[in-house]
Amino acid sequence: MKTLAKMAATMSNVDEIRNRVILGEFDIKNVHTTDYPGNYPGYDDTWNLQKFQKNFRIDVVQMDETSLEFDMVGIDAAIANAFRRILLAEVPTMAVEKVLIYNNTSIIQDEILAHRLGLIPIKADPRLFEYRNAGDEEGTEIDTIQLQLKIKCTRNPRATKDSADPRELYLNHMVYSKDMKWAPIGNQADVFADANIGPVHGDILLAQLRPGQELDIVMHCVKGIGQDHAKFSPVATASYRLLPEITLMETVEGEKAERLKRCFSPGVIEVENHGGKVVAKVVNSRLDTCSREVLRHDDLKNAVKLARVRDHFIFSVESTGILAPDVLVTEAIKVLMTKCQRFLNELDSTEME
């Protein structure tokens, strides 16, 4: 019986090493993936498609027009990180690449203004356009979007004499991204009649003018990826974290329960009244930021076990508004599949040689 109990305890320790990242007071344990074939006697860790399909899942937690939170469960950190990097740098978008400045009498230098224009997110579906060929100076309707910015500041004839407010004194003295107008090339006016091409946000301040100053600019937008320049990145942020797991090792009551609650983010620990006693209870460990504040309290640090589930990733994707976040995730998966297929093709060609 003792031998069986010892074996069960050993297997339990092995499962913890394989499946949990443990947050200690001075270190973090089980950081590296160790469930590869032959590493643990009694475990069959050879990769199996049916097993992967059974364990893998994606659960959408929250989604709106610009942000998406979902759980990706049953994969290794390397794949999760590859997915994150693809979202940041390899999903294409349209952005201002060439700025033709015909007139700029504002106080902003041409280079600074061109840089500001390049970072404006452009509302255009990149899947409907082609990459521009290297060396092509003039774009076509299949690879280029043309935008124009033509505006001049003048005095407001209706302004009162004693007014000092620029908003009343001047007309067109604030240049916003909404002043960037789409100028269709070729048959784009018919093809993209309902696309509403232009800046995603119309309230981005570009420059301030005074009477007599003007801007006359033409912009060419092309298709690109964030790997080439950050202006092509389709997301404001794309990140993931492991699912926190908080386990109470003993009953925590009274003042200690209240103190334990304050050690975690709101909503993680709650106190309940059981038979006249205030008892701490884990309600939602997902909300925890893993600050390890509880480990600073000598009378509480042994009452709680902090861990993270190794193969449960909580993804947060915030779109710049060019594409919906669920579309971005779909496109990132397609890019990852293309990379895998290219790798398999390279293996096949190497074997043939």
Side-chain angles (χ1 to χ4, degrees):
M1 291 295 291
K2 289 184 178 180
T3 303
L4 290 175
K6 187 175 181 180
M7 288 180 60
T10 303
M11 295 291 279
S12 176
N13 292 338
V14 170
D15 286 337
E16 181 179 283
I17 294 173
R18 288 161 53 87
N19 303 321
R20 297 292 185 270
V21 177
I22 304 299
L23 281 69
E25 185 175 5
F26 301 108
D27 60 351
I28 301 176
K29 302 176 182 177
N30 311 335
V31 176
H32 303 290
T33 301
T34 57
D35 54 347
Y36 45 84
N39 195 38
Y40 295 103
Y43 288 87
D44 181 16
D45 286 319
T46 54
W47 195 84
N48 182 276
L49 178 60
Q50 287 73 30
K51 182 180 177 183
F52 173 78
Q53 290 175 333
K54 179 181 178 181
N55 295 331
F56 178 75
R57 73 175 194 273
I58 294 179
D59 301 324
V60 177
V61 177
Q62 177 272 331
M63 182 174 70
D64 56 32
E65 293 182 354
T66 58
S67 63
L68 171 65
E69 181 179 324
F70 63 93
D71 293 358
M72 187 177 287
V73 185
I75 59 168
D76 190 74
I79 304 299
N81 194 48
F83 184 72
R84 180 190 66 85
R85 291 172 65 94
I86 289 171
L87 274 170
L88 287 169
E90 296 187 58
V91 175
T93 63
M94 304 294 289
V96 174
E97 176 70 10
K98 183 175 289 187
V99 179
L100 307 175
I101 301 178
Y102 295 102
N103 194 6
N104 173 22
T105 55
S106 71
I107 63 170
I108 301 180
Q109 295 94 335
D110 292 352
E111 296 83 357
I112 303 300
L113 184 57
H115 183 262
R116 289 177 69 84
L117 293 170
L119 295 176
I120 302 294
I122 305 301
K123 185 73 171 180
D125 193 338
R127 295 170 295 181
L128 304 178
F129 294 87
E130 301 293 335
Y131 288 99
R132 182 186 285 192
N133 294 326
D136 283 0
E137 293 295 329
E138 298 296 328
T140 64
E141 63 267 18
I142 64 171
D143 60 23
T144 303
I145 295 173
Q146 182 171 283
L147 300 174
Q148 288 184 336
L149 175 60
K150 191 168 185 177
I151 190 169
K152 183 175 182 178
C153 178
T154 58
R155 292 188 180 275
N156 184 5
R158 299 182 179 179
T160 57
K161 291 183 178 180
D162 57 346
S163 175
D165 188 354
R167 291 173 294 182
E168 186 180 351
L169 287 172
Y170 313 128
L171 299 175
N172 298 326
H173 78 290
M174 303 284 276
V175 183
Y176 292 99
S177 52
K178 64 183 178 183
D179 298 314
M180 299 165 61
K181 305 299 182 182
W182 175 41
I185 301 174
N187 64 348
Q188 287 183 346
D190 299 324
V191 176
F192 306 114
D194 301 324
N196 194 25
I197 294 176
V200 174
H201 307 287
D203 58 350
I204 301 174
L205 182 64
L206 300 177
Q208 294 189 34
L209 305 180
R210 286 298 179 263
Q213 296 181 347
E214 62 180 306
L215 295 174
D216 188 359
I217 300 172
V218 174
M219 294 150 278
H220 290 175
C221 307
V222 300
K223 186 175 181 178
I225 58 176
Q227 202 171 49
D228 296 330
H229 195 286
K231 66 185 177 184
F232 291 112
S233 181
V235 294
T237 181
S239 61
Y240 65 79
R241 61 190 178 98
L242 293 176
L243 177 70
E245 184 181 74
I246 300 171
T247 307
L248 295 181
M249 309 303 292
E250 60 185 54
T251 303
V252 182
E253 301 175 342
E255 182 272 335
K256 290 175 61 177
E258 294 289 351
R259 192 149 38 91
L260 179 67
K261 177 182 176 181
R262 293 195 297 269
C263 289
F264 293 90
S265 303
V268 177
I269 303 289
E270 295 294 342
V271 293
E272 297 180 347
N273 196 320
H274 288 179
K277 294 182 178 180
V278 177
V279 180
K281 178 184 177 182
V282 179
V283 177
N284 188 359
S285 60
R286 183 189 183 93
L287 301 175
D288 186 40
T289 58
C290 296
S291 66
R292 295 189 282 180
E293 168 69 18
V294 67
L295 300 180
R296 299 176 61 188
H297 300 261
D298 293 333
D299 57 341
L300 291 177
K301 62 183 180 182
N302 293 324
V304 182
K305 184 176 183 179
L306 305 179
R308 288 194 171 195
V309 183
R310 183 189 298 281
D311 65 346
H312 191 135
F313 298 89
I314 302 174
F315 268 88
S316 297
V317 179
E318 183 181 336
S319 170
T320 57
I322 298 173
L323 293 173
D326 57 325
V327 175
L328 291 178
V329 171
T330 304
E331 292 300 307
I333 293 174
K334 290 179 182 178
V335 172
L336 184 57
M337 292 172 64
T338 302
K339 285 175 169 285
C340 294
Q341 189 58 54
R342 188 184 307 132
F343 179 67
L344 292 175
N345 292 341
E346 289 292 334
L347 289 178
D348 292 340
S349 63
T350 303
E351 291 175 359
M352 291 178 64
E353 293 175 1

